[in-house]
Amino acid sequence: MPEADLETLPGVGPATADKLSEAGFESFQSLAVASPSELSNTADVGESTAADIVRAARDAADIGGFETGTTVLERRNEIGKLSWHIDEVDDLLGGGIETQSITEVYGEFGSGKSQVTHQMSVNVQLPKEVGGLHGSAIFVDSEDTFRPERIDDMVRGLPDDVINATLEDREIEGSAADEGAVDELIDDILDKIHVAKAFNSNHQMLLAEKAKELASEHEDSEYPVRLLAVDSLTAHFRAEYVGRGQLADRQQKLNKHLHDLDKVGNLYNAAVIVTNQVASNPDSFFGDPTQPIGGNILGHKSTFRIYLRKSKGDKRIVRLVDAPNLADGEGVMRVQDGGLKPE
């Protein structure tokens, strides 16, 4: 949205419009979902002025009021479902990973968390008729896990009919049997994954804000951002905030970070996938002692929580731990050279 439109809001002149734009507030909608204190801190405007701006933006964007359940249902029809291409897991998740929601995937090392983020970075770019969302991906890498070679493996591991449909959708001549066409497809898919390495928790939080800007830039493009993956969400926070004395600070920053990620999902109809580390609870005498990091802050903010557990060989148990409208349950997948596969 041009800055001139922002100047129609009360208290917003050319200088303030510049500040708002530089801070990433380029539309009425982005202002409407901001808090006055956030606006005041990032755009350097007074608290009362910020409150007036947010209120006027909410009126202009027509959000923030009550609506009927029918209206909510109609809006939910716009939500996309990103397929895993594993029927058992897709059924477990009601069709796949939802856009406009945060899906948390947690488990111990080697359980397949990074494999999920890589696979979804491929699957999101597939045509809608074969379970994709015809969009691009943003990948925030905090543990140096992103490997382009793995994306290569996963594209080659797609079923032939899916590769053929994707080649046709991207107007690349050839078929799944044509090595040159598949190579071109892999390059095209890698080109639509925007990767940034997070060096610490503050940088990771900044990248969430940058992700919103990137999603805004691509909103009207042929491949809008439909996936934001963070691998891992908690690694830096866990390393930098040690001990009970820093727990409150850590949780407060983690909470803000989650809200920033959620904004990207809601504003741009994107699926947000975050991976999470675990710890063992020594007081647990019965059941699985593995517990996700992040406490209630992450537990409440995640719309869907998925627990990955190692099994024999390349088998992984996918357990749906929490969802607002789905029953708990388990599915099985395999982590193989060609990506995530059915049992």
Side-chain angles (χ1 to χ4, degrees):
M1 178 172 290
E3 291 169 12
D5 289 342
L6 297 184
E7 292 179 33
T8 62
L9 298 172
V12 179
T16 305
D18 284 340
K19 290 178 182 177
L20 291 171
S21 182
E22 288 171 7
F25 299 104
E26 297 180 336
S27 67
F28 290 146
Q29 195 171 8
S30 62
L31 286 168
V33 296
S35 66
S37 59
E38 180 187 2
L39 204 62
S40 178
N41 291 332
T42 55
D44 193 26
V45 295
E47 188 89 28
S48 60
T49 302
D52 291 340
I53 293 172
V54 169
R55 197 158 37 244
R58 285 174 181 168
D59 291 339
D62 193 26
I63 65 172
F66 290 97
E67 54 192 9
T68 66
T70 305
T71 306
V72 174
L73 180 60
E74 288 173 358
R75 193 174 69 252
R76 281 193 57 79
N77 289 333
E78 299 173 6
I79 289 175
K81 297 275 190 175
L82 176 55
S83 172
W84 290 52
H85 281 173
I86 301 169
D87 290 343
E88 195 174 345
V89 178
D90 283 339
D91 291 344
L92 185 68
L93 297 175
I97 293 175
E98 276 194 7
T99 60
Q100 300 182 36
S101 297
I102 293 179
T103 299
E104 175 198 354
V105 180
Y106 70 89
E108 61 183 2
F109 68 93
S111 59
K113 304 184 296 297
S114 296
Q115 302 298 320
V116 171
T117 54
H118 280 70
Q119 187 73 64
M120 294 308 122
S121 295
V122 171
N123 291 4
V124 72
Q125 300 189 43
L126 304 177
K128 292 181 180 179
E129 59 267 25
V130 290
L133 296 176
H134 193 83
S136 59
I138 296 174
F139 196 111
V140 178
D141 182 4
S142 72
E143 293 190 283
D144 194 27
T145 53
F146 182 77
R147 295 292 183 272
E149 301 88 349
R150 192 64 181 130
I151 298 295
D152 185 304
D153 293 340
M154 288 176 167
V155 175
R156 296 182 191 278
L158 292 170
D160 286 353
D161 61 326
V162 174
I163 292 178
N164 290 332
T166 309
L167 288 169
E168 183 180 352
D169 184 60
R170 297 190 182 216
E171 298 181 349
I172 298 174
E173 293 185 6
S175 68
D178 184 347
E179 191 72 20
V182 175
D183 286 343
E184 186 178 346
L185 174 61
I186 290 168
D187 288 342
D188 200 29
I189 283 178
L190 281 169
D191 196 47
K192 291 178 175 60
I193 304 174
H194 309 278
V195 185
K197 186 173 179 179
F199 294 101
N200 53 52
S201 61
N202 285 325
H203 186 220
Q204 185 173 320
M205 293 175 73
L206 175 63
L207 288 175
E209 297 173 13
K210 294 294 183 184
K212 188 170 78 169
E213 295 175 17
L214 190 59
S216 176
E217 291 170 10
H218 287 78
E219 188 173 12
D220 298 320
S221 69
E222 187 180 359
Y223 284 86
V225 172
R226 288 289 179 260
L227 173 70
L228 171 55
V230 183
D231 187 22
S232 111
L233 176 75
T234 51
H236 285 315
F237 291 93
R238 188 180 190 184
E240 294 168 24
Y241 296 88
V242 181
R244 290 188 176 275
Q246 293 188 300
L247 183 60
D249 288 341
R250 185 191 82 175
Q251 293 301 90
Q252 189 174 14
K253 291 184 75 171
L254 186 59
N255 191 27
K256 183 187 184 307
H257 185 41
L258 284 164
H259 276 79
D260 288 340
L261 296 173
D262 195 34
K263 278 183 189 177
V264 177
N266 281 299
L267 287 173
Y268 302 104
N269 194 23
V272 180
I273 303 176
V274 300
T275 67
N276 188 15
Q277 297 182 344
V278 297
S280 292
N281 180 7
D283 298 329
S284 177
F285 294 104
F286 301 100
D288 193 337
T290 306
Q291 297 293 327
I293 300 298
N296 291 330
I297 290 287
L298 183 50
H300 289 309
K301 193 59 184 169
S302 299
T303 314
F304 301 90
R305 302 194 92 178
I306 297 172
Y307 174 29
L308 294 184
R309 195 169 73 247
K310 295 177 186 177
S311 187
K312 291 182 180 179
D314 60 5
K315 276 173 113 177
R316 300 293 185 271
I317 308 301
V318 183
R319 183 183 174 201
L320 181 62
V321 176
D322 184 39
N325 60 329
L326 300 169
D328 296 355
E330 291 186 349
V332 180
M333 69 176 185
R334 292 183 181 273
V335 179
Q336 298 181 337
D337 289 344
L340 306 184
K341 300 294 181 184
E343 185 183 7

